[in-house]
Amino acid sequence: MTSGQRLDAVVDLTIRQLARATAGPARIAELAADRVPRADGLAGEEPGSVLTVLVGEPGSGRTTELAALAVRRAGGTAPLPTLWLRGADLRPGDRGPLAAAERALGAPLAEAAACCAEAGRPLLVLLDGPEEAPAALDADWWADAVRQAAELGVRLLVACRPESWETGPSPTAAREGLAHARLHRLGPLHGEDLALAAAHYGVPVPPGRGYPLLLRLAAPLHREGLDTAAADFAELAGGWLDLHCLRIARRIAAADRPASHRRGRTVQPAPAAAAPEPPPGALRRLAATVAGRVHEAARRMLGAGQGALAPAAFAELFPTAGGWGRAVLAEGLFVPVGDGYRLAHEAVADWLQGRHLDLAGAAARLLATRERPGVPRHRAGAVSAALRGLGERHGAGALEPWLHRFRQVLDDPAAGEEAHWWAARLLRAGLAGSPDPQAHAELLDRLAERLAGDGPNGPLTGFGAAFWEALALPAARRWALLAVLVRADGPDQAHLRSAAARLRADGPAALAHLCAWFSDGRGLPARPGSTVADLAQDLLYAHRAFAVDELTEALVAAAHPRADALLTVLAVEEPSALCRAVDRWSHDGRPERHVAAAVHGLRAAPYAGPTGRQLLGFAALALLAREAEPGLHGAALALLVRDPATRADHLAAALAAYAADDPFVTPEVLVTALGTDPAAVLGAFEARLGRPGGAVAPVLRVLAEAPPLTGAAAPSGLPDPATRLAGRLLRGSPERAELVADYLGHRLALGTAGPGDLTALLGAGAEDRPVAVRRAFALVLAQPAPASGGGHPHGARLRREFLDRLLATERDPAVLEPLLERVAQQAGREEDERSRTVVRRITDAWNRGEGGPARLDALLVRCAGRCAAFALLLADWPAAARPPVGGALLARMRESVARGRDPQYAAAEAERSAGVTARSPGAPGEVRPVIAAPVGAAGVPVPGRPGAHGTL
């Protein structure tokens, strides 16, 4: 037989095995036909790992996904070999599923697997429901299974409950191959997936999320005319069970009809002669009897280790005589599995068994602290169902003692690993199944705080974002818990994503709850350096577009500094929305809203468009009309002056308010009117600066940033009126020289300075001004144009020209020495040729003054020792460019450089060898230490935004 023939034979065997196998309540093909597309399903993915695990709660569609995959692989022109196993097909002595696969195939597995692998079509073994195995499958069992599969070239795809994965092939288990298993999780359907599934089963789309089994249970009830749209699982399971018991009763009643016998054969009567259905009362009584036996079966299944009903017990409850067994199996209520029988739907089995569970006895055994109880973890479904049933029958209060008992076991380090697992699992189930989770508020708070305290790597698992999202809690409680839970986030930031999704879902209703986080300064391990309050700001800012008007209202109502800061950001990012808010607040009856309108109106004004300016004008007039609140009139005038349409009527009042030191009418406000009313504005500035305590820096800053005046305001050939004002200020107050020099530096950087500005500021005889004045201007003019922000070419040319004019007459070392230090510091940022020119002019002026050659020599070497670029400049000075004349120290430095020494080190060695010491500066002949000035320090300082007013 050729290899191709052997492969065809193996594929034929697997196809026949799939046709014989059962998958839950139906055959594989029938179940596969029920699959609908879902985002978290297997879709067309081929399992590529040796072990792939499909994890999902009962009813999530695990078996359906396997069945659809098996049917897809078995079809087409080149079928892929696939074997179907259930956990009940395993035997106690099996060390992995491959022995059961060989039994199902009826041929040597090693040969079949090798044939498939050789053809590039590896054999895939599907194991559904390993919980049905006659014995619990531990990590060693799974390690053996993976090793055998890898050796044979077989791939395994396992579908199981979450508890089974935790028990057996845990990703954290230190076993060969298990850490590399591919994990695939099935969750509840939602959105478009849920709608498609509901349409497939012909039932209304349920609200929120739901597992496929809910739709499967609802389908026959909906066909009977029952309303299933708002039914929960217990109602659907109970209705589904009652309906099937009724149908089973009909079958049993039909089986009791008399039959005719002829020649040893039983001949069924013709349809027309069929006996009538029993009376409704008798049929209901028979259905009740069937239901009673089903409940008794569930009670007996509780005692079985793996939850199956033994054949003897099945025959006792549903005997062959009378057609009971045949009717139960025909209706698909029970299915034969392995050597026993199980309820067709695992989730229904859990629910039904939970109604008969002795909860007190089960808890005593499961939470035992001394020895392992020996109960398989997948039996947690029945215990969880018992807790849910307790809450449904007696209310959330009946669950409280149980939930606190589970929490106490969790907090007890002596309880042991197994008891901790059961306590955590049952606590989750009890809280999730409670009819009123809000009744357990204290317990939820303590649980959330423990999760946050443990951090993302804490020992308590299973209480992730999905658990908290599923709790039916009031919005205020949910957001308060989220504020705690975000501190438990790891790198995946699941709770943060949950908060963002909740914010999008709740919309404006969530804004106030999120603003309540502003007072929470606790840190976030997943975002080092950030707090819960920072997270609230980030979330609100990122989602501002969903409801920006409602956001402004929530922020102003929060009355918190962080809310005020976010409103300030919105003034820049969303000025239209903030202008609308200011207009609303100005007409509100609450005084605190008027304060908010005043503060945030001024913040939004620089960014407002035409419509926004109009709204701000309306708000300003409303504030101005409130005679009982004169403190806000300045803000109203500031808004009206900013707008050219309303400026003329209110400028005089604004200038008067400025003269009276109104905090709202600032130089930034008045400078907006400089282009239309320069004389009035500059006159107000000059008058205010002439008084004691006049704030000079803000005025000079806004004047430096304002565009130059043109036309009648600034006659041709004369310096700008603002510059002439600064010159008069300097002449009257020489101590303000640094501020005025910074004013000039800023205008040079912007390219708005004129050729006559230096004369306008210092006068015709600059050399006659005080040393402090000349030094301030020299240092500013020695500062190169900013590398970023674009130094203006015209300004750079004027800057050099102005410095040259100062150096032409300067002889005082008190000016030249700091100037040389500044040039040295900026040597790397200025062109070398320009730096050499300035240094040469400084040294020439020094030699003509009274500084002394020794002091200049020490200064040059000291600057070179502090600044590498300046040292290199001195070392590489071309001879034709007339190097600066120094003394012994400079000569020693040059000699070291000639010997190959680094220029900066050479300068430092020359200074050290000469024993030069730094003494107090100022005295002739003494060496002053270099004090590095920050880069860009010569620019006009721009302070931060003014402080907020009011209580926001």
Side-chain angles (χ1 to χ4, degrees), residues 384-589:
S384 301
L387 286 170
R388 288 194 298 271
L390 178 64
E392 291 166 1
R393 293 189 300 272
H394 303 290
L399 288 173
E400 271 288 282
W402 292 100
L403 299 181
H404 281 282
R405 180 180 178 186
F406 301 148
R407 183 193 60 77
Q408 289 170 357
V409 173
L410 275 178
D411 293 340
D412 182 6
E417 179 182 353
E418 196 67 15
H420 279 166
W421 187 93
W422 280 100
R425 178 65 175 83
L426 298 180
L427 180 60
R428 291 199 306 271
L431 289 171
S434 174
D436 181 18
Q438 174 64 8
H440 316 295
E442 179 186 356
L443 181 60
L444 290 173
D445 287 338
R446 296 182 66 171
L447 180 60
E449 288 291 350
R450 172 173 174 178
L451 292 171
D454 291 345
N457 299 318
L460 193 57
T461 59
F463 293 92
F467 165 79
W468 296 93
E469 289 171 5
L471 296 179
L473 293 169
R477 286 288 304 135
R478 185 179 301 281
W479 281 104
L481 286 169
L482 273 173
V484 179
L485 292 169
V486 291
R487 294 163 37 220
D489 262 340
D492 62 342
Q493 296 189 306
H495 291 296
L496 171 58
R497 288 187 280 107
S498 176
R502 179 64 56 179
L503 178 57
R504 291 190 293 270
D506 292 353
L511 298 176
H513 301 305
L514 196 51
C515 287
W517 292 15
F518 284 151
S519 299
D520 195 334
R522 291 173 291 186
L524 303 172
R527 295 161 60 109
S530 295
T531 65
V532 176
D534 295 329
L535 189 60
Q537 281 186 296
D538 292 346
L539 281 172
L540 290 172
Y541 175 77
H543 294 81
R544 64 190 185 280
F546 284 97
V548 67
D549 289 316
E550 290 83 354
L551 175 59
T552 57
E553 294 300 323
L555 292 173
V556 76
H560 192 277
R562 285 185 175 271
D564 187 53
L566 188 50
L567 282 170
T568 302
V569 174
L570 293 181
V572 181
E573 301 289 343
E574 306 288 345
S576 297
L578 201 59
C579 289
R580 293 194 297 270
V582 169
D583 185 39
R584 291 194 303 270
W585 299 337
S586 67
H587 294 88
D588 194 291

Side-chain angles (χ1 to χ4, degrees), residues 582 584-599 619-637 662-664 950:
V582 169
R584 291 194 303 270
W585 299 337
S586 67
H587 294 88
D588 194 291
R590 291 167 287 185
E592 61 270 20
R593 291 295 190 269
H594 306 157
V595 177
V599 172
L621 292 174
L623 294 176
L624 203 59
R626 298 183 183 277
E627 297 181 358
E629 299 175 359
L632 301 180
H633 290 182
L637 291 171
D662 189 296
F664 286 110

Side-chain angles (χ1 to χ4, degrees), residues 61-411:
R62 301 185 315 249
T63 305
T64 303
E65 290 296 307
L66 289 191
L69 176 65
V71 169
R72 179 178 60 79
R73 286 175 56 89
T77 57
L80 300 176
T82 310
L83 278 177
W84 182 281
L85 299 178
R86 293 188 64 152
D89 296 328
L90 301 173
R91 294 176 182 174
D94 291 344
R95 297 308 300 169
L98 299 187
E102 187 168 67
R103 291 192 295 269
L105 187 64
L109 185 64
E111 296 180 9
C115 178
C116 295
E118 182 181 351
R121 289 190 271 176
L123 175 64
L124 176 64
V125 176
L126 306 176
L127 177 59
D128 185 28
E131 301 85 5
E132 300 172 355
L137 309 180
D138 57 16
D140 290 332
W141 190 94
W142 285 104
D144 288 343
V146 172
R147 184 174 59 256
Q148 293 172 17
E151 291 172 353
L152 295 177
V154 174
R155 294 174 182 172
L156 302 176
L157 174 56
V158 180
C160 64
R161 301 172 64 129
E163 298 89 354
S164 299
W165 176 246
E166 295 173 15
T167 305
S170 169
T172 59
R175 305 293 184 186
E176 178 185 357
L178 297 187
H180 303 291
R182 175 175 171 77
L183 183 63
H184 197 106
R185 293 189 181 274
L186 288 180
L189 301 177
H190 59 92
E192 184 179 351
D193 292 346
L194 183 60
L196 286 173
H200 174 78
Y201 286 105
V203 298
V205 181
R209 297 168 176 254
Y211 284 125
L213 179 61
L214 294 176
L215 306 176
R216 185 188 290 269
L217 297 179
L221 301 177
H222 184 71
R223 289 193 293 269
E224 294 292 333
L226 299 177
D227 183 10
T228 61
D232 60 18
F233 178 80
E235 293 169 333
L236 291 175
W240 181 86
L241 180 61
D242 291 344
L243 179 60
H244 276 65
C245 288
L246 181 61
R247 291 176 174 176
I248 291 169
R250 286 198 180 103
R251 287 180 179 270
I252 294 172
D256 287 340
R257 292 178 303 180
S260 61
H261 300 275
R262 181 181 300 172
R263 294 183 183 179
R265 292 185 303 158
T266 300
V267 180
Q268 295 294 337
E277 187 174 281
L283 190 62
R284 285 196 298 270
R285 287 191 294 273
L286 182 57
T289 302
V290 174
R293 296 192 182 190
V294 172
H295 279 269
E296 175 60 19
R299 190 186 65 78
R300 295 190 185 187
M301 292 163 71
L302 280 171
Q306 302 303 96
L309 186 64
F314 183 83
E316 178 186 347
L317 294 172
F318 309 109
T320 303
W324 284 71
R326 181 183 301 173
V328 167
L329 295 177
E331 280 299 326
L333 183 60
F334 281 83
V335 292
V337 178
D339 295 331
Y341 297 86
R342 289 178 179 269
L343 283 162
H345 296 302
E346 193 176 8
V348 175
D350 287 343
W351 168 78
L352 193 56
Q353 292 177 50
R355 299 188 62 179
H356 299 277
L357 180 71
D358 175 10
L359 190 56
R365 183 180 181 189
L366 297 173
L367 303 178
T369 59
R370 296 300 178 189
E371 58 185 29
R372 181 172 179 147
V375 178
R377 287 184 177 181
H378 70 265
R379 302 305 304 276
V383 189
S384 301
L387 286 170
R388 288 194 298 271
L390 178 64
E392 291 166 1
R393 293 189 300 272
H394 303 290
L399 288 173
E400 271 288 282
W402 292 100
L403 299 181
H404 281 282
R405 180 180 178 186
F406 301 148
R407 183 193 60 77
Q408 289 170 357
V409 173
L410 275 178
D411 293 340

